[in-house]
């Protein structure tokens, strides 16, 4: 992806012009978005079409990603601390080594995603789909997992303390 296109993409996102970004995205689905390392904290990015994007190391802390499409995205080492990921689509995504502490993952679909070595302490997992996800060595301290869907999830060395 050229630096001009990267500038356009980050401008749309930083200025919270999500409908314009999504319109552009739908016309340019063939482009592999790479916004790795970008600071997108404290923004309303709800409904953003970031599927297939490389967002490794991005800062999404305290952002609203409600109903965002992050399917097959590289989100490794991203910071989602205190973010709203309610009803987001994150299937097949790489969320390894992410900070998801205090995030709201209510109704989020993380099926087949890699969350290994991630910090999910104090997050909300009400109705969260984690079927066949890799949760090995993830931190679930003070998390109520009773309503999360965990069928066939890899849970080796899971760090969890009772709520």
């Amino acid at each position: 992806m050229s630096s001009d296109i990267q500038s356009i993409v980050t401008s749309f996102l930083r200025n919270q012009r999500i409908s314009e970004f999504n319109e552009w995205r739908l016309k340019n689905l063939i482009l592999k978005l790479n916004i790795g390392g970008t600071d997108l904290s404290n923004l309303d990015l709800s409904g953003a079409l970031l599927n297939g994007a490389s967002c490794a190391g991005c800062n999404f802390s305290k952002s609203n990603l409600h109903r965002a499409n992050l399917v097959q995205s590289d989100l490794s080492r991203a910071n989602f601390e205190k973010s709203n990921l309610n009803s987001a689509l994150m299937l097949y995504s790489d969320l390894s080594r992410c900070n998801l502490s205090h995030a709201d993952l209510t109704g989020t679909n993380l099926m087949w995603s890699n969350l290994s070595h991630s910090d999910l302490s104090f997050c909300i997992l009400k109705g969260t789909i984690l079927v066949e996800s890799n949760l090995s060595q993830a931190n679930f301290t003070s998390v109520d997992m009773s309503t999360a869907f965990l069928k066939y999830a890899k849970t080796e060395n899971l760090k969890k303390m009772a709520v």
Side-chain angles (χ1 to χ4, degrees), residues 64-100:
N64 181 7
L65 291 147
H66 173 72
R67 293 192 175 208
N69 184 336
L70 295 152
V71 173
Q72 292 185 325
S73 294
D74 179 0
L75 303 161
S76 58
R77 300 176 323 280
N79 182 5
F80 292 98
E81 184 176 12
K82 297 181 182 177
S83 290
N84 176 10
L85 290 157
N86 187 305
S87 301
L89 295 174
M90 301 174 91
L91 297 88
Y92 297 103
S93 292
D94 182 359
L95 290 133
S96 59
R97 301 189 186 283
C98 279
N99 180 1
L100 290 148

Side-chain angles (χ1 to χ4, degrees), residues 7 16 18 33 35 42 62 67 74 95 103 106 112 120 131 137 143 148-149 157 160:
S7 295
Q16 302 173 90
I18 303 308
L33 296 183
I35 57 170
N42 299 295
K62 299 179 185 175
R67 293 192 175 208
D74 179 0
L95 290 133
T106 301
W112 301 295
L120 289 99
V131 174
Q137 298 189 25
V143 175
F149 300 99
N157 299 314
K160 171 144 174 42

Side-chain angles (χ1 to χ4, degrees), residues 15-113:
N15 292 304
Q16 302 173 90
R17 295 167 42 199
I18 303 308
S19 59
E20 291 173 71
F21 167 75
N22 287 347
E23 186 178 314
W24 176 89
R25 181 74 172 118
L26 289 171
K27 291 177 184 172
N28 295 281
L29 283 174
I30 197 164
L31 291 176
K32 175 76 171 161
L33 296 183
N34 184 350
I35 57 170
T38 303
D39 184 1
L40 298 169
S41 59
N42 299 295
L43 298 175
D44 184 357
L45 304 172
S46 53
L49 299 177
L50 292 165
N51 47 306
S54 177
C55 304
C58 280
N59 182 6
F60 293 103
S61 63
K62 299 179 185 175
S63 287
N64 181 7
L65 291 147
H66 173 72
R67 293 192 175 208
N69 184 336
L70 295 152
V71 173
Q72 292 185 325
S73 294
D74 179 0
L75 303 161
S76 58
R77 300 176 323 280
N79 182 5
F80 292 98
E81 184 176 12
K82 297 181 182 177
S83 290
N84 176 10
L85 290 157
N86 187 305
S87 301
L89 295 174
M90 301 174 91
L91 297 88
Y92 297 103
S93 292
D94 182 359
L95 290 133
S96 59
R97 301 189 186 283
C98 279
N99 180 1
L100 290 148
S101 64
H102 300 275
D104 183 356
L105 296 163
T106 301
T108 299
N109 192 337
L110 291 153
M111 195 174 216
W112 301 295
S113 292

